[in-house]
Amino acid sequence: MSRALDFLRASQNADGGWGYKTGGMSFVEPTSAALLALTIDAQAASHVQRARAFLKSIQRADGGWGIAAPDDASGWMTAWAVWALAASEANDAARRGVDWLLESAGIRVTDPNQVAHVQKTLRIDARITGWSWQPNDAAWIFPTALSLLALDAVNVREHPRVREGIQYLLDRAIPTGGWNIGNPFMVSGNLPPTVENTSLALMALRAFDIENEITVRAQKYLARENFTVTAFEWAWRAWYWKKMDAPTKGAHAALETLQRADGSWDGNPFTTAIALMSVK
Amino acid sequence: MKSISRRSLLRLALGGGILAGGAVIYKQTESVGLDKWMRWMLRGQTARLNPPARVALASVASYDDDVLSAIRTLWRDANAPDLANARVVLKPNLVDSIPERPCYTMPQVTEALIQFLRDEIQVKALVVAEGMTFRRDPHAILIETGYREMLERQRVEFVDLNYDDLVKIPLRGGYAKMDSLFMARTVAEADALISIPKLKTHHWTKISGSIKNLFGIVPGAKYGFPKNTLHMHGIDAFLAELLDSLPTPKRFALVDGIVGLQGDGPLFGAPVPSGALIGGQDFLAVDATAARLMGFDPTTIEILAFMAWAGLGQIDVNRIQVRGAALNELKRNYELAPTL
């Protein structure tokens, strides 16, 4: 863990942010994840301050965040920034981000014919929406689960958008367990679940005390052992199990074997921050 | 009252006809703007005067065959660009890896192309790059498809285009009502882009070839997974923008049709042994030839027909010189994907 913290501290860019690779352009997502991971690290106080300053400096006038400084439109990474800033200090920037989140939503289908067609081809209720990656798009699992976690972090738990976001996640679950990126079915078959979407959706539902057959099936998917071993997959599983207070010994042993000499996983500050959150 | 002469009547009718025709064209083009419509149409007409496109076919029965030799011959037959000392990005289709579904470009094709470009063409630098569509992390796909092992063997770097540094490029066409687009720096600053798609059917665009494969060069970090934000601009229109605005000065397409995918594409279709590689500089001509090889008439595939009308390449069989293996011998009748 200390080597991973060393890597994160060393890979912070001069502007205070982190990229998806050492020396890469600073993005809001890896910066927010690193900020969440480093709040436990007493030696990282100055890094945390610089990260907060970076995030605040690129907040847009509408209260949201683009994905990086050059991005001139607010989108899904707003949820990361709100979560990270709210977790590290209560501030006006996070509150303005919350307002943006509550105002934004994925496309909602209301035409009955279209609703029926979408139900047939994708097996979803298109009247229910969550959050999208970018404005004017359909909703997807990752930004929806992330927005719910951000809103939980600022204690927004009873808002209608929150209730609909939870319904969205439950509606889009794959019947056999877990979540793909959005719809569970496409034309002729169920889509396969993905580990990051399933972990994040489960974390979001857990934050709002939702436990049912859908979450149990998804947990079984995450617990399966026949998957391709990557640091990213193990990091997301381990973070979820940590949140659940479930045993993480096996995941941590796997992560240890995948950790690089520089202390990172995949040389990627984002993956490293996710892995670190499973031990904090 | 003075009666109107026959000549005046004809003039009036002609003037009225021109006005009515203009009104119809204006109405038909209102959504995109008459100026753009005229520009696209004129370029499409001018393209008929351009030299024919060259497309090469190579017959390769299996991935265990000598793919390198086939590429060497195809490269010459296709009149490929001079890439000596060029910085080259190879962009295979690694959309996902699903057991028994040949939905991705096989590593044998990419590996043979790496060897050819590095050892024989002597490019300055090359990377393999992709921005996956459905999974946020590339490593599992790289392992499952055999790419990680191949890249380690060839000592070639993989660049994840979903998280690369961003460059904003201007969009020239005006098809998708977007002025600019974020693109991965690795692609934006390369001398050449080689699109290496899988030959397959697709439920939105009928076929997925070298042009559809370009979706992988835009960053998922910005446009999401599966980059649906860009679909909202209209898939045909957005792909026309990408093709028209590619920042790399040189380009080439090499389609992996050794085993293609038919039916429920782009992911869940069935394998079709087609035994073909298709190559060329004109992506539209390459995709049109790929469509013919799959038994489809490219002029009936909206996305290809639109781009041809707008002058982004050739699809007319009389405007494409096919060299190498005989198309009729490689042709198979692919089953279309079910439409959504």
Side-chain angles (χ1 to χ4, degrees):
Chain A
M1 180 177 168
S2 65
R3 287 196 299 128
L5 288 170
D6 288 345
F7 169 80
L8 266 195
R9 288 193 297 264
S11 59
Q12 187 173 27
N13 289 329
D15 63 11
W18 278 265
Y20 291 99
K21 59 187 175 190
T22 305
M25 175 184 280
S26 293
F27 285 82
V28 169
E29 181 178 59
T31 301
S32 301
L35 187 50
L36 285 166
L38 286 176
T39 47
I40 53 154
D41 180 12
Q43 294 179 50
S46 67
H47 298 78
V48 165
Q49 275 309 116
R50 286 167 52 214
R52 285 177 187 152
F54 169 75
L55 287 177
K56 288 179 189 173
S57 73
I58 63 167
Q59 186 173 24
R60 292 173 33 74
D62 63 8
W65 276 265
I67 64 168
D71 189 3
D72 52 8
S74 299
W76 68 281
M77 289 194 194
T78 298
W80 270 118
V82 166
W83 190 2
L85 289 172
S88 60
E89 63 174 9
N91 60 55
D92 180 58
R95 276 194 296 276
R96 290 196 295 123
V98 168
D99 291 341
W100 187 89
L101 278 180
L102 292 174
E103 285 293 316
S104 70
I107 290 171
R108 189 192 315 277
V109 179
T110 53
D111 176 74
N113 291 331
Q114 284 185 23
V115 169
H117 177 69
V118 173
Q119 176 66 42
K120 185 181 168 191
T121 53
L122 305 179
R123 296 198 183 158
I124 60 172
D125 185 344
R127 294 169 298 185
I128 306 170
T129 193
W131 278 268
S132 57
W133 299 99
Q134 295 294 328
N136 305 314
D137 185 15
W140 300 89
I141 300 299
F142 199 95
T144 299
L146 191 65
S147 297
L148 287 171
L149 285 161
L151 292 169
D152 173 59
V154 292
N155 212 25
V156 175
R157 296 179 56 84
E158 300 298 331
H159 194 279
R161 293 285 299 121
V162 169
R163 288 197 291 273
E164 188 178 22
I166 292 168
Q167 283 305 309
Y168 171 89
L169 290 182
L170 295 173
D171 181 68
R172 267 60 166 181
I174 299 165
T176 49
W179 283 265
N180 191 262
I181 51 176
N183 40 298
F185 180 88
M186 176 74 90
V187 186
S188 62
N190 284 334
L191 293 170
T194 70
V195 70
E196 69 272 23
N197 285 291
T198 301
S199 299
L200 202 65
L202 278 173
M203 277 192 250
L205 292 173
R206 166 82 169 185
F208 289 92
D209 306 316
I210 307 292
E211 285 189 46
N212 55 28
E213 289 178 356
I214 289 171
T215 60
V216 169
R217 282 195 294 268
Q219 286 159 10
K220 282 184 183 163
Y221 159 72
L222 279 189
R224 77 194 171 105
E225 292 179 353
N226 60 334
F227 62 91
T228 304
V229 174
T230 68
F232 187 81
E233 296 235 342
W234 271 120
W236 279 97
R237 282 184 160 83
W239 188 19
Y240 166 68
W241 287 327
K242 175 71 178 172
K243 284 257 181 190
M244 288 286 288
D245 297 322
T248 54
K249 199 175 166 186
H252 287 153
L255 281 170
E256 206 173 311
T257 65
L258 295 165
Q259 191 170 20
R260 290 188 179 180
D262 64 4
S264 79
W265 282 274
D266 296 336
N268 184 331
F270 177 58
T271 306
T272 304
I274 299 296
L276 267 171
M277 282 193 273
S278 74
V279 290
K280 65 181 270 194
Chain B
M1 195 172 114
K2 191 178 175 183
S3 63
I4 190 164
S5 70
R6 192 160 174 264
R7 178 171 289 181
S8 298
L9 192 63
L10 283 171
R11 278 182 182 155
L12 266 176
L14 184 64
I18 290 169
L19 278 175
V24 168
I25 290 173
Y26 181 80
K27 192 70 186 167
Q28 292 285 323
T29 60
E30 205 173 8
S31 61
V32 295
L34 182 61
D35 56 334
K36 281 183 198 165
W37 186 88
M38 289 294 288
R39 180 157 50 89
W40 301 340
M41 190 268 291
L42 284 172
R43 187 174 55 182
Q45 294 301 315
T46 309
R48 292 164 185 261
L49 305 174
N50 293 342
R54 177 81 70 88
V55 173
L57 293 175
S59 173
V60 186
S62 141
Y63 292 103
D64 296 328
D65 283 0
D66 187 356
V67 181
L68 176 58
S69 292
I71 287 175
R72 186 182 298 123
T73 307
L74 179 143
W75 194 263
R76 186 194 60 225
D77 289 346
N79 201 15
D82 178 10
L83 298 185
N85 289 315
R87 293 164 303 157
V88 182
V89 174
L90 306 187
K91 162 62 180 79
N93 182 334
L94 298 177
V95 61
D96 209 336
S97 122
I98 299 168
E100 297 171 23
R101 305 293 185 185
C103 58
Y104 57 87
T105 308
M106 287 293 280
Q108 291 92 330
V109 174
T110 307
E111 183 168 28
L113 185 58
I114 288 170
Q115 292 170 318
F116 174 69
L117 292 172
R118 190 179 51 201
D119 302 339
E120 301 184 30
I121 300 294
Q122 299 188 330
V123 298
K124 183 178 184 181
L126 63 81
V127 294
V128 170
E130 166 69 305
M132 276 78 163
T133 309
F134 297 104
R135 295 198 227 176
R136 289 207 54 191
D137 181 68
H139 292 92
I141 294 178
L142 291 174
I143 293 168
E144 290 162 15
T145 57
Y147 268 79
R148 189 168 84 171
E149 197 182 340
M150 181 274 283
L151 293 170
E152 285 174 358
R153 187 165 55 240
Q154 295 299 330
R155 297 182 180 176
V156 170
E157 183 193 356
F158 175 81
V159 177
D160 188 343
L161 299 177
N162 283 327
Y163 305 109
D164 201 10
D165 289 356
L166 301 172
V167 174
K168 199 179 228 182
I169 64 159
L171 294 176
R172 292 191 278 257
Y175 314 99
K177 297 181 181 172
M178 296 169 72
D179 297 328
S180 61
L181 178 79
F182 282 111
M183 188 171 283
R185 182 180 294 281
T186 298
V187 173
E189 296 183 350
D191 299 315
L193 173 70
I194 302 188
S195 177
I196 322 172
K198 187 72 169 174
L199 184 69
K200 56 185 180 178
T201 49
H202 194 287
H203 54 227
W204 278 328
T205 51
K206 281 196 178 174
I207 72 159
S208 176
S210 63
I211 299 170
K212 183 72 176 71
N213 188 38
L214 296 176
F215 247 105
I217 66 174
V218 296
K222 170 63 182 172
Y223 300 108
F225 299 83
K227 306 178 187 181
N228 194 65
T229 305
L230 300 172
H231 289 181
M232 303 305 284
H233 291 270
I235 295 179
D236 297 5
F238 178 70
L239 285 172
E241 287 289 15
L242 257 185
L243 183 63
D244 200 7
S245 304
L246 272 183
T248 45
K250 295 178 180 178
R251 65 185 74 162
F252 193 76
L254 176 67
V255 184
D256 169 12
I258 296 176
V259 176
L261 177 142
Q262 70 173 352
D264 192 2
L267 296 177
F268 297 109
V272 184
S274 278
L277 291 174
I278 312 162
Q281 294 196 60
D282 180 335
F283 283 19
L284 195 50
V286 168
D287 286 1
T289 306
R292 290 189 174 99
L293 206 131
M294 300 164 92
F296 306 135
D297 175 0
T299 62
T300 65
I301 298 176
E302 272 182 44
I303 189 166
L304 302 183
F306 170 71
M307 289 183 196
W309 175 82
L312 295 177
Q314 306 287 354
I315 66 169
D316 186 335
V317 71
N318 297 315
R319 307 290 308 156
I320 301 173
Q321 295 175 344
V322 179
R323 294 284 158 68
L327 193 146
N328 280 341
E329 288 176 16
L330 295 170
K331 185 177 168 185
R332 305 282 183 275
N333 287 319
Y334 277 56
E335 180 189 318
L336 274 173
T339 50
L340 288 179

